[in-house]
Each structure stands twice: as C-alpha cells, then as structure tokens.
Amino acid sequence: MSLEQDRRISEVVERERSRLRNFIRRRVPDAGDADDILQDVFYELVEANRLLMPIEHVGGWLFRVARNRITDLLRKKKPELFSDAAGVDDDGERLNFEDLLPSPEAGPDALYARGVLLDELEFALDELPEEQREVFIAHEIEGKTFKEIAAETGAGVNTLLSRKHYAVLHLRERLRNIHNELMEGQ
C-alpha cells in the first residue's frame, strides 16, 4: 500500500473509532468481544483497500460490517435473557424480554427485525432518566447484582429495584410497539 493509502486509512480509523466502538459496545456486552469486532471491522477496511474495492461511504460501510460481525457473534452465542423484563401478555402468560425478540435462527427477516428491535432498545434506553438507565444496564447487560450496584452507587437496593422496574416498564412498552409493527409487516 502507498503512503497515501496508509494515511487515508489512519484518518478513517481515527475519525470513526470512537463512534464505532460505542456502537458495537452497546450491542455486545462483553468488552473483549466488542474489541475483537472493532479490530475485525478495521481489518476488513484494510483488506478492502488492499484489494482496491471501491467504498463510497466509508462510515456507513464500517457500521454495516460491524453489524454483520455482531450478527455473526449472536449466531454463535446464545443470547442472554433479560429475565427481569418479564411481564404478562393478554392471556396471562409470563413474557421475558427475549420473547419480544425474533429468534436469530429464524431467517433473514427475523434477523433484520431483531436488529431493528435492538436499535430501538438503544433509543429507548437513551430516553430513560439517567438513574434508571444506569441500573438497567448494570444489572441486565453488565450482569451486576443489585447489592453490587448499591455498593457502587450508594443507593439502596429497594431504590434500585424501583428504578429498574420503571425502566423495564418503559422499555417493554417501547419494544412491544415496534415489535408489533414489525410482526404486522410479515
């Protein structure tokens, strides 16, 4: 590769690294897996450049490659259940958060719907008050116990349970709406 190509790749990596890492990290709970995906994405960029593949919108291309790598990872690993997001459907049956997501093994349409729902989860999390968002992420995504979160934040366990409860109610409603829209289209 020429020095000019090296410089352009370095600029892209520097410009997109933080946004791309955050994008991946929101979807992949394990930091090691997220770093591996980030590295794979930039490797793909170098390979595409080496093979002289034309990439018109490099930012969008990087995020598309990242989403594909995340999908590959989700196919290999069994998704973690958001057990505390359980609710009750119209028939009185208990629902888990995972029940709202299409199975990644159900084909391309289901995989697309799952990606849309995960994006909506990210948006819905951003809508939450900071304290609710933090306890939800700490408990559900990072796997911390309420005792650990209480020790870190100084908030009581009952307060944390309440915050998580309100977060779950909001997230379930937001995801249920988009889930129903996606399922009507099928």
Side-chain angles (χ1 to χ4, degrees), residues 8-175:
R8 282 192 311 231
I9 289 175
S10 294
E11 287 173 0
V12 168
V13 168
E14 188 63 34
R15 183 180 67 234
E16 300 292 342
R17 175 183 283 134
S18 179
R19 279 185 349 137
L20 196 55
R21 178 181 284 125
N22 290 337
F23 174 82
I24 295 167
R25 191 67 179 103
R26 285 187 208 108
R27 289 158 178 80
V28 178
D30 182 78
D33 288 340
D35 288 340
D36 288 346
I37 289 172
L38 182 66
Q39 194 172 40
D40 286 347
V41 170
F42 287 128
Y43 173 79
E44 289 289 325
L45 176 64
V46 171
E47 281 299 299
N49 197 335
R50 185 180 69 79
L51 297 172
L52 302 174
M53 291 175 48
I55 302 172
E56 289 187 33
H57 302 288
V58 74
W61 184 88
L62 289 170
F63 281 86
R64 188 170 50 252
V65 171
R67 187 180 304 275
N68 290 342
R69 295 295 170 267
I70 292 166
T71 300
D72 293 344
L73 178 70
L74 291 174
R75 284 182 183 149
K76 291 178 188 174
K77 291 187 175 188
K78 185 178 184 267
E80 294 181 38
L81 297 177
F82 287 159
S83 58
D84 289 337
V88 178
D89 67 8
D90 297 335
D91 299 327
E93 295 288 327
R94 185 170 172 80
L95 290 174
N96 290 320
F97 176 84
E98 198 63 28
D99 293 336
L100 297 173
L101 292 175
S103 169
E105 290 86 31
D109 290 342
L111 199 54
Y112 170 76
R114 185 181 183 87
V116 169
L117 286 167
L118 289 172
D119 286 344
E120 283 298 316
L121 173 61
E122 181 182 333
F123 296 137
L125 281 170
D126 289 341
E127 294 171 349
L128 290 172
E130 184 176 349
E131 294 172 333
Q132 290 178 18
R133 180 176 53 251
E134 288 175 352
V135 73
F136 182 87
I137 290 171
H139 187 252
E140 289 298 338
I141 297 174
E142 297 172 355
K144 295 179 182 177
T145 66
F146 285 107
K147 283 186 179 182
E148 291 171 326
I149 301 167
E152 290 174 8
T153 64
V157 170
N158 286 338
T159 301
L160 296 172
L161 287 167
S162 177
R163 289 176 185 167
K164 171 135 184 247
H165 172 74
Y166 288 113
V168 167
L169 290 176
H170 173 76
L171 295 173
R172 188 183 320 132
E173 187 60 32
R174 281 277 274 123
L175 293 175

